[in-house]
């Protein structure tokens, strides 16, 4: 049995609680969280077994947070996507955002598209940040596109019309909660789910390695028999 964690998806939870443990406000946790995004992405880019890494960075529901936190997250994203270009290029990492980008400011949309174009030639890891992403919203947008095209529905067609056509092999959630929170609902149909109490700012490549090790021992049957 040789399972490859070809597509890893992560719900990065716990930034706010971690900041609280440091006696700081929530934004400090997001800032540290963005450093962990870099470390985990770089690790995955060096592991040829991993082809895709999808990270839940901002959900369709996150707009409900206080304005000041939403604004901070927007600025942090803008900074990250601008400053990290060398990380993407040196790691041969292709950036492919998922989600409905139309709600972001014109300037943030520009930055997102720019990084996508600047890394389009990269042939290694595909890193997706889920931005204004919700699994239900993704399915609704795909269903509307198919309805408009009046095409007969099939499993493959739905997959290809979604923001991400690739099934998730390993889905990890940090921060202690055991739920999907509207993340990769279609793509996670047969994903192996791993939950850890570690808060995202404290998540390390060592812990990821241990989870991958456990994942490899799981017998995946996809509804069949072995
Ligand atoms: C959950 O922590 C995390 C988020 C809502 C967003 C994830 C954002 C980052 C990891 C940082 C920014 C990312 C990039 C790529 C720049 P929470 O605030 O819900 O934590 P809590 O459950 O402890 O309150």
């Amino acid at each position: 049995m040789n399972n490859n964690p070809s597509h890893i998806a992560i719900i990065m939870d716990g930034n706010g609680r971690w900041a609280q443990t440091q006696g700081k406000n929530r934004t400090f946790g997001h800032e540290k969280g963005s450093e962990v995004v870099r470390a985990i992405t770089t690790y995955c880019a060096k592991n040829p077994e991993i082809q895709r890494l999808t990270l839940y960075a901002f959900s369709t529901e996150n707009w409900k947070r206080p304005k000041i936190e939403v604004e901070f997250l927007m600025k942090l994203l803008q900074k990250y996507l601008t400053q990290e270009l060398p990380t993407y290029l040196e790691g041969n990492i292709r950036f492919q955002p998922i989600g409905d980008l139309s709600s972001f400011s014109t300037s943030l949309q520009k930055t997102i598209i720019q990084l996508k174009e600047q890394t389009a030639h990269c042939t290694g890891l595909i890193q997706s940040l889920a931005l204004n992403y919700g699994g239900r919203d993704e399915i609704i947008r795909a269903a509307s596109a198919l309805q408009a095209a009046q095409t007969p529905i099939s499993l493959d067609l739905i997959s290809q019309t979604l923001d991400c056509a690739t099934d998730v092999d390993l889905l990890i959630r940090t921060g202690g909660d055991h739920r999907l929170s509207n993340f990769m609902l279609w793509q996670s149909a047969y994903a192996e789910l791993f939950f850890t109490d570690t808060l995202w700012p404290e998540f390390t490549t060592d812990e990821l390695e241990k989870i991958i090790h456990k994942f490899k021992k799981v017998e995946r049957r996809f509804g069949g028999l072995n």
Side-chain angles (χ1 to χ4, degrees):
M1 167 71 45
N2 185 19
N3 282 339
N4 268 347
S6 172
H7 186 181
I8 298 178
I10 309 183
I11 301 173
M12 311 180 285
D13 197 14
N15 291 346
R17 279 166 287 160
W18 178 80
Q20 219 168 21
T21 67
Q22 308 296 304
K24 301 268 170 73
N25 58 28
R26 301 177 51 80
T27 52
F28 185 69
H30 294 316
E31 189 111 41
K32 180 69 170 52
S34 70
E35 289 169 23
V36 180
V37 168
R38 186 196 309 117
I40 295 296
T41 301
T42 307
Y43 169 86
C44 290
K46 287 187 187 144
N47 183 338
E49 290 174 338
I50 305 168
Q51 270 140 40
R52 249 175 208 273
L53 173 68
T54 302
L55 302 170
Y56 207 4
F58 193 85
S59 79
T60 44
E61 286 71 37
N62 284 154
W63 298 105
K64 293 184 213 156
R65 293 187 174 209
K67 196 166 169 250
I68 192 159
E69 184 172 341
V70 171
E71 279 174 3
F72 181 88
L73 280 167
M74 295 302 124
K75 281 199 191 119
L76 186 61
L77 269 170
Q78 182 99 40
K79 188 171 98 178
Y80 184 89
L81 298 174
T82 311
Q83 284 182 357
E84 293 300 321
L85 178 63
T87 306
Y88 285 89
L89 296 180
E90 280 158 29
N92 194 21
I93 302 162
R94 186 168 168 191
F95 173 62
Q96 227 170 59
I98 60 168
D100 178 2
L101 305 182
S102 66
S103 304
F104 293 122
S105 69
T106 318
S107 125
L108 183 53
Q109 286 186 48
K110 246 183 168 168
T111 304
I112 294 168
I113 300 304
Q114 191 177 316
L115 185 61
K116 186 179 169 186
E117 289 170 358
Q118 285 167 325
T119 60
H121 64 283
C122 294
T123 53
L125 179 77
I126 297 172
Q127 186 232 40
S128 286
L129 291 184
L131 300 168
N132 189 29
Y133 174 89
R136 288 175 169 177
D137 181 65
E138 180 190 30
I139 292 168
I140 290 169
R141 284 187 284 107
S144 302
L146 293 176
Q147 190 180 36
Q150 295 191 329
T151 348
I153 301 291
S154 69
L155 192 149
D156 280 348
L157 199 58
I158 293 180
S159 284
Q160 284 155 22
T161 314
L162 292 168
D163 298 347
C164 173
T166 314
D167 276 357
V168 171
D169 297 300
L170 167 58
L171 188 142
I172 300 166
R173 180 176 186 135
T174 64
D177 286 327
H178 295 193
R179 53 177 172 259
L180 292 179
S181 298
N182 203 11
F183 187 50
M184 306 298 276
L185 299 181
W186 176 275
Q187 297 87 345
S188 295
Y190 283 100
E192 299 299 326
L193 310 182
F194 281 73
F195 300 96
T196 167
D197 289 338
T198 305
L199 304 172
W200 177 251
E202 287 184 331
F203 191 69
T204 60
T205 54
D206 272 2
E207 184 165 4
L208 177 58
E209 211 164 274
K210 281 185 190 130
I211 292 173
I212 292 174
H213 187 72
K214 281 189 198 155
F215 166 85
K216 286 186 170 188
K217 290 188 174 160
V218 173
E219 185 190 16
R220 300 180 78 196
R221 294 189 295 275
F222 299 94
L225 301 175
N226 54 5

